[in-house]
Amino acid sequence: MTHPRPKILAIDDTPENLLTLGAVLAADFDLQIATSGAMGLKLAMESPPDLILVDVMMPGMDGFETCRRLKAESALKNTPVVFVTVMSETESEMQGLALGGADYITKPINVEIARQRIRNLLEREALRTKIEAQRDMLEVLLAERQQVEDELRISAVAFASQNGMMITDASGVILRVNPAFTRLTGYSAEDAVGQTPAMLKSGRQAPLFYQRMWEAVREKGYWQGEIWNRRKSGLIYAEMLTITGIFAGDGNISHYVASFTDITEDKEAEAEIHRLAYYDPLTRLPNRRLLHDRLGQAVAAAGRSRLYGVIFLIDLDNFKALNDTRGHDVGDLLLVEVASRLSAVVRDGDTVARQGGDEFVVLMEGLAADIEDAAALAKQRGEKLQDATKRPFLLGDYEYHCKFSIGVGLFQGHDSVEDLFKHADLALYQAKNAGRNGMRFFDPAMQAALDLRSALEAELRDAIQSQQLRLYYQPQVDAARRVVGAEALVRWQHPQRGLVLPNDFIPLAEDTGLILPIGYWVLETACRQLHAWADDQRTRDLQVAVNVSARQFHQPEFVQQVLDVLQQTGAKPHLLKLELTESLLISDVDDVISKMGALKEMGVGFSLDDYGTGYSSLAYLSRLPLDQLKIDRSFVMGIETSETAVAICAATISLAHNLKLQVVAEGVETEAQWHILSTQYQCDFVQGFLFSRPLPLDAFEAFLLRN
Ligand code: C2E
Ligand code: MG
Ligand code: MG
């Protein structure tokens, strides 16, 4: 390919001047002629030449002006302009060069010099263009290099991070690792480079795990997850690992970058939390929560397999006494030892758990499909548990013989975990009652009692709302047999069962908390009655005694409750007497005294019920702000035949009188009893069938009229 010939534009108003030059130049160049500055401008803009010759002296627009205008065009600003002139004054040359002219050719033209100058100028221009192009290229290269440097700096910072990092080639050979990698794995860069990440394998993950991991990286270019690895020291640690594939221009992965953090501590904390939540810290056995989880699963599994499972509820006898006398450290020793002995005799898959306190539970599954067989097996296994605990326990230097009671509950899938525990609990209760160190199975008779109890509970709940409770009044009389008041006694008018007496539902109410609404109802009803009696002079001085349960009394708001009821009903406080039992005084005597004090200040009276059947400590008798003692029916019953009973009654009456307390005897059924108590020992008041049974309100009022 021939090089295109340079294009020259000559501008001159007298073209003859150029003819000689033109003839010479035409051999080497493409020559174009313009006869005025304006025409030259037009041609130059239409097709930019490589060089322009311009005559200085032209009419209209002279050579200088033409040059100025040419230079103003951006396409032409680098095109060399050569002035052709006769003038050779330095001043005028200067003017042309200042306008951007490149050179001068003076007339008459020396052709050889002109040709050489033109060639030089063209070469110079070509060179300049080339240099400019190179400079542009250099700038681009510089900018690119800057970008690469920035990226390198960023990756250097990233590589210096706290995360362990490793870069491998496409085949998984390690090319680089960072300092954190060395810190976390124990392997230096020299150790690692050239190896593959398999050097870190812990063996804890199956090959399939790695296979899936690499599949994901290849498909998505990315994988993240937790993985167990092994340090150089051999220690296994957990890491959170991210693998990223680096894709090359051809779409294939050229490198892998792995970044990881050590999450062993997180894992350990997680495990610790799990342990705390599901294991007993002392014995390291599963705790109640984990046991209930497992039991839930066991019941479901038994439902599917139809094979009976069993739970043993194991309770240490007299553990509290050991704790109290030898201290908690010794108690703890025993618990740990019991845990290990029980664990030693069960089979793999059985669960030994600590329910809390001194109660252990053993769960066994898959006994037998037939209940008799299952029960026989359970009995055998239970005896093994008993045997394990028969040998004395060595607690420090102290040899301890521990006895156990065991309640056994079988299950086959239709029981709820809750019921199951209830059953085993009931069996345990019976085992304890039957003498300690025994084992008892839950049986259908127990079940019947349990069913009755839960039916009663539901009905009792309903009884309060359905207004089935009745308040009966049993008269209390003084030495002259005048009625001074009554004890209010609750009954339950059951739609099917008839009149249910308190002994058949108060204990249940105490266990379930229903005693609170019941007690409140009794108190309110009695107070309303006091107010109703206030208008009639035959009844307005009657005192009413109301029984208060321990649970009721121990409510923090009990005092306020009584005061509110008094206020709402308008009953006079000094006509209300609260009967407390000794059991109420076992705990928190100070609180009891302060509550009694607060009520007493308002005028409310207190009587100590069932005196003699409980702890009967003289110490608290003198501390409590009591008004009355009630001698229990069991002593009254015996006074006609037993001298001890007489002695107890006599001593109680005299003790009470010394403490400035009145005495009420309850359960007086005969004239003889009345005589001994009232006449012989000056008992202040008496209550019993001799005068009247507890009566419904109208019968009680009728009784008052008769007397
Ligand atoms: P308690 O407070 O010792 O009540 C006296 C019990 O002895 C009453 O039995 C009464 O009927 C009975 N009784 C009275 N005189 C004689 C007698 O001469 N012979 C015989 N055999 N028994 C006599 P009840 O009404 O069955 O009450 C039993 C227990 O139920 C009460 O013993 C009391 O502890 C509790 N209770 C009754 N009502 C309430 C109540 O409203 N609240 C609470 N918390 N407990 C109550
Ligand atoms: Mg009573
Ligand atoms: Mg009593």
Side-chain angles (χ1 to χ4, degrees), residues 461-513:
R461 216 168 271 282
D462 187 50
I464 305 162
Q465 256 116 46
S466 315
Q467 306 191 324
Q468 293 167 8
L469 296 182
R470 303 281 179 270
L471 203 53
Y472 277 45
Y473 298 87
Q474 184 177 32
Q476 295 179 329
V477 301
D478 66 9
R481 296 188 179 228
R482 272 189 313 248
V483 178
V484 293
E487 177 175 8
L489 293 158
V490 71
R491 270 100 183 90
W492 176 10
Q493 187 61 57
H494 190 284
Q496 285 89 39
R497 299 180 208 273
L499 196 68
V500 185
L501 290 177
N503 287 340
D504 293 330
F505 67 92
I506 293 289
L508 176 68
E510 305 246 16
D511 285 353
T512 54

Side-chain angles (χ1 to χ4, degrees), residues 203-338:
R204 275 211 196 173
Q205 269 111 358
L208 189 65
F209 174 86
Y210 294 101
Q211 204 177 310
R212 294 239 167 95
M213 178 175 100
W214 286 111
E215 261 166 30
V217 179
R218 273 193 296 272
E219 270 166 32
K220 295 184 232 149
Y222 179 83
W223 181 87
Q224 184 171 53
E226 294 176 10
I227 180 167
W228 292 98
N229 272 342
R230 185 188 299 274
R231 287 187 232 275
K232 191 177 182 182
S233 65
L235 267 182
I236 287 182
Y237 68 100
E239 63 179 40
M240 173 58 85
L241 173 67
T242 307
I243 303 178
T244 313
I246 308 289
F247 289 91
D250 61 3
N252 288 320
I253 286 178
S254 66
H255 294 86
Y256 295 104
V257 177
S259 161
F260 60 91
T261 51
D262 188 337
I263 52 167
T264 311
E265 274 180 22
D266 298 359
K267 283 265 153 201
E268 277 166 2
E270 208 176 272
E272 176 68 11
I273 287 167
H274 179 84
R275 234 192 30 241
L276 286 175
Y278 290 103
Y279 291 86
D280 166 44
L282 177 67
T283 60
R284 309 208 159 242
L285 293 179
N287 64 10
R288 170 194 296 267
R289 213 160 129 196
L290 184 53
L291 172 72
H292 280 237
D293 277 8
R294 290 206 183 152
L295 196 51
Q297 289 164 12
V299 169
R304 290 188 295 271
S305 69
R306 310 308 305 157
L307 294 176
Y308 277 91
V310 61
I311 59 168
F312 299 93
L313 231 58
I314 304 172
D315 193 281
L316 278 61
D317 295 338
N318 301 321
F319 180 69
K320 192 179 173 309
L322 175 76
N323 247 348
D324 289 349
T325 54
R326 295 274 159 170
H328 286 261
D329 289 348
V330 173
D332 284 357
L333 274 180
L334 177 65
L335 293 174
V336 171
E337 189 53 31
V338 169

Side-chain angles (χ1 to χ4, degrees), residues 499-557:
L499 196 68
V500 185
L501 290 177
N503 287 340
D504 293 330
F505 67 92
I506 293 289
L508 176 68
E510 305 246 16
D511 285 353
T512 54
L514 286 172
I515 193 64
L516 299 180
I518 293 175
Y520 186 84
W521 178 85
V522 169
L523 179 70
E524 200 187 26
T525 308
C527 286
R528 208 173 295 125
Q529 194 54 53
L530 279 173
H531 181 69
W533 281 337
D535 292 335
D536 190 330
Q537 70 153 20
R538 283 167 302 185
T539 51
R540 71 177 170 209
D541 295 323
L542 289 177
Q543 281 203 329
V544 171
V546 169
N547 294 284
V548 176
S549 271
R551 193 152 171 184
Q552 200 184 346
F553 190 87
H554 282 305
Q555 297 173 99
E557 64 277 12

Side-chain angles (χ1 to χ4, degrees), residues 33 40 220 457:
I33 306 277
K220 295 184 232 149
E457 183 187 336

Side-chain angles (χ1 to χ4, degrees), residues 277-418:
Y278 290 103
Y279 291 86
D280 166 44
L282 177 67
T283 60
R284 309 208 159 242
L285 293 179
N287 64 10
R288 170 194 296 267
R289 213 160 129 196
L290 184 53
L291 172 72
H292 280 237
D293 277 8
R294 290 206 183 152
L295 196 51
Q297 289 164 12
V299 169
R304 290 188 295 271
S305 69
R306 310 308 305 157
L307 294 176
Y308 277 91
V310 61
I311 59 168
F312 299 93
L313 231 58
I314 304 172
D315 193 281
L316 278 61
D317 295 338
N318 301 321
F319 180 69
K320 192 179 173 309
L322 175 76
N323 247 348
D324 289 349
T325 54
R326 295 274 159 170
H328 286 261
D329 289 348
V330 173
D332 284 357
L333 274 180
L334 177 65
L335 293 174
V336 171
E337 189 53 31
V338 169
S340 92
R341 286 203 197 170
L342 291 177
S343 304
V345 294
V346 301
R347 309 163 166 219
D348 283 351
D350 295 343
T351 300
V352 180
R354 182 174 173 217
Q355 274 269 86
D358 57 346
E359 219 174 86
F360 292 85
V361 179
V362 177
L363 162 66
M364 297 179 179
E365 292 179 68
L367 293 183
D370 179 75
I371 180 134
E372 310 261 303
D373 296 346
L377 254 175
K379 186 159 173 279
Q380 248 176 47
R381 306 270 179 90
E383 281 163 357
K384 246 176 128 182
L385 294 173
Q386 282 183 308
D387 287 345
T389 48
K390 275 210 176 109
R391 270 179 298 124
F393 290 86
L394 201 64
L395 310 174
D397 50 3
Y398 171 57
E399 204 183 82
Y400 183 68
H401 292 266
C402 188
K403 294 188 172 173
F404 294 79
S405 299
I406 303 183
V408 189
L410 290 164
F411 60 89
Q412 203 199 25
H414 31 256
D415 313 81
S416 75
V417 169
E418 222 172 277

